[in-house]
Amino acid sequence: MKTLDYIVPDSVTSAVQLLADHGDTACPLAGGTDLIVDLKHAPGNIETLVDVSRLNEFRGIEETENGLRIGSMVTYGEIMENPICLEKTPEIVAASHTVGAVQTRNLGTIGGNLVTCVPSADSAPALMVLDAEVTIAGTEGNRTLPIENFFVGPRKTCLERHELLVDIFIPKKNLGKPSSFYKFGLRKGQALALVNAAAALEIIDGKIEEARIALGAVAPTPVRSLSAEKHLNGKKPTKELIAEASDIAVTECKPIDDFRASLKYRKHLIRTLTHRVLTRSLEIASKS
């Protein structure tokens, strides 16, 4: 690994300006669990690391009158132990448990996982079904957008070179919503997902008022199953309806056929995991 310059900015404004000034030769450093590996094998033209891990603006988990804010520098270990997350976003906690090993969860950040933007990112589906939004800081100030618009392609987000992910925000109406997350990998731990899935349901008067389904490792980016959601909305949940929605979800995905799993097997997993997260979310709703 080549020698790199190392800068610790004292503010978000300073950090984004440093990234803007250095252009393609600089990159931000947070937990470093993905970045350091990448720099060892393919450093490209990176010459400077801008360490943003000490900036308070990127830290903290707090519930406000409008919802829940999770700083981009919050680690998975923090999420797993946070009482607010345990009570009101159990699907995010469940996703956090599946990320890497204990050491990775103690260093790796939720923001870093999103910015790395691999199709199998475990945190993405759990956040997408809660209609999460992300805040992005740049030289011209902050901007906010829905999390599904954050993902552009494999390992590519909408971030400009000088921009930084500040936090993730979940609207109050979605906190505590009946939801679930499942991941399937080739091992029980430290495995990339062959498919991961999340669902969240709002049940009113015995009918599904609003459904959310999101899947990972099934397309170039994590995706919402919009047609499957539409098929569920306004209907009384039944085993037949859940099966139909699970079949529809398969048609909305573009899984690959590679050495880790065949296309046929991945389609089977999409159907199975969609059925599982919807069924589990309904079970949670029936107890609330």
Side-chain angles (χ1 to χ4, degrees), residues 78-197:
E78 291 176 284
I79 291 172
M80 290 161 54
E81 296 178 353
N82 184 272
I84 301 174
C85 293
L86 287 167
E87 178 187 359
K88 299 189 176 181
T89 60
E91 63 291 302
I92 299 177
V93 174
S96 299
H97 275 278
T98 71
V99 177
V102 173
Q103 297 90 334
T104 303
R105 294 192 290 270
N106 285 338
L107 284 175
T109 64
I110 189 169
N113 187 242
L114 297 175
V115 171
T116 301
C117 201
V118 294
S120 58
D122 294 316
S123 56
L127 291 168
M128 291 169 71
V129 297
L130 298 180
D131 295 335
E133 299 177 341
V134 294
T135 304
I136 297 168
T139 53
E140 298 181 2
N142 290 356
R143 61 188 177 108
T144 302
L145 68 157
I147 193 167
E148 52 258 45
N149 295 346
F150 185 70
F151 310 114
V152 176
R155 289 186 169 270
K156 183 173 177 57
T157 70
C158 69
L159 289 175
E160 299 292 337
R161 193 71 188 183
H162 65 279
E163 290 184 318
L164 292 167
L165 176 61
V166 179
D167 57 30
I168 302 102
F169 183 80
I170 300 164
K172 183 177 181 178
K173 70 183 184 70
N174 293 329
L175 297 179
K177 181 178 287 188
S179 57
S180 63
F181 170 88
Y182 279 99
K183 169 182 177 177
F184 185 88
L186 296 178
R187 302 184 302 273
K188 288 186 177 180
Q190 301 188 54
L192 292 176
L194 292 184
V195 174
N196 55 30

Side-chain angles (χ1 to χ4, degrees), residues 10-262:
D10 59 6
S11 67
V12 176
T13 301
S14 175
V16 297
Q17 191 60 56
L18 282 166
L19 293 171
D21 292 343
H22 286 79
D24 291 343
T25 65
C27 66
L29 171 66
T33 54
D34 288 320
L35 177 63
I36 298 303
V37 174
D38 290 342
L39 290 176
K40 284 182 178 180
H41 295 284
N45 61 348
I46 298 299
E47 299 176 354
T48 304
L49 295 179
V50 179
D51 188 347
V52 299
S53 64
R54 307 179 194 184
L55 298 177
N56 290 330
E57 293 93 332
F58 296 153
R59 293 198 168 276
I61 300 173
E62 58 179 331
E63 186 177 7
T64 71
E65 62 179 12
N66 297 316
L68 180 66
R69 175 194 172 274
I70 302 175
S72 61
M73 275 296 306
V74 169
T75 67
Y76 285 105
E78 291 176 284
I79 291 172
M80 290 161 54
E81 296 178 353
N82 184 272
I84 301 174
C85 293
L86 287 167
E87 178 187 359
K88 299 189 176 181
T89 60
E91 63 291 302
I92 299 177
V93 174
S96 299
H97 275 278
T98 71
V99 177
V102 173
Q103 297 90 334
T104 303
R105 294 192 290 270
N106 285 338
L107 284 175
T109 64
I110 189 169
N113 187 242
L114 297 175
V115 171
T116 301
C117 201
V118 294
S120 58
D122 294 316
S123 56
L127 291 168
M128 291 169 71
V129 297
L130 298 180
D131 295 335
E133 299 177 341
V134 294
T135 304
I136 297 168
T139 53
E140 298 181 2
N142 290 356
R143 61 188 177 108
T144 302
L145 68 157
I147 193 167
E148 52 258 45
N149 295 346
F150 185 70
F151 310 114
V152 176
R155 289 186 169 270
K156 183 173 177 57
T157 70
C158 69
L159 289 175
E160 299 292 337
R161 193 71 188 183
H162 65 279
E163 290 184 318
L164 292 167
L165 176 61
V166 179
D167 57 30
I168 302 102
F169 183 80
I170 300 164
K172 183 177 181 178
K173 70 183 184 70
N174 293 329
L175 297 179
K177 181 178 287 188
S179 57
S180 63
F181 170 88
Y182 279 99
K183 169 182 177 177
F184 185 88
L186 296 178
R187 302 184 302 273
K188 288 186 177 180
Q190 301 188 54
L192 292 176
L194 292 184
V195 174
N196 55 30
L201 301 173
E202 182 176 350
I203 310 293
I204 298 179
D205 296 331
K207 293 184 178 181
I208 300 173
E209 180 69 19
E210 183 178 78
R212 292 286 186 270
I213 304 167
L215 295 154
V218 300
T221 66
V223 294
R224 284 261 306 277
S225 295
L226 299 176
S227 295
E229 293 174 0
K230 184 178 180 181
H231 185 73
L232 292 168
N233 289 339
K235 298 174 183 176
K236 183 178 179 179
T238 63
K239 290 182 179 179
E240 292 75 19
L241 182 67
I242 297 304
E244 291 166 1
S246 301
D247 288 339
I248 292 171
V250 177
T251 68
E252 298 184 89
C253 300
K254 298 179 180 179
I256 61 174
D257 191 334
D258 66 4
F259 69 95
R260 297 175 61 236
S262 67

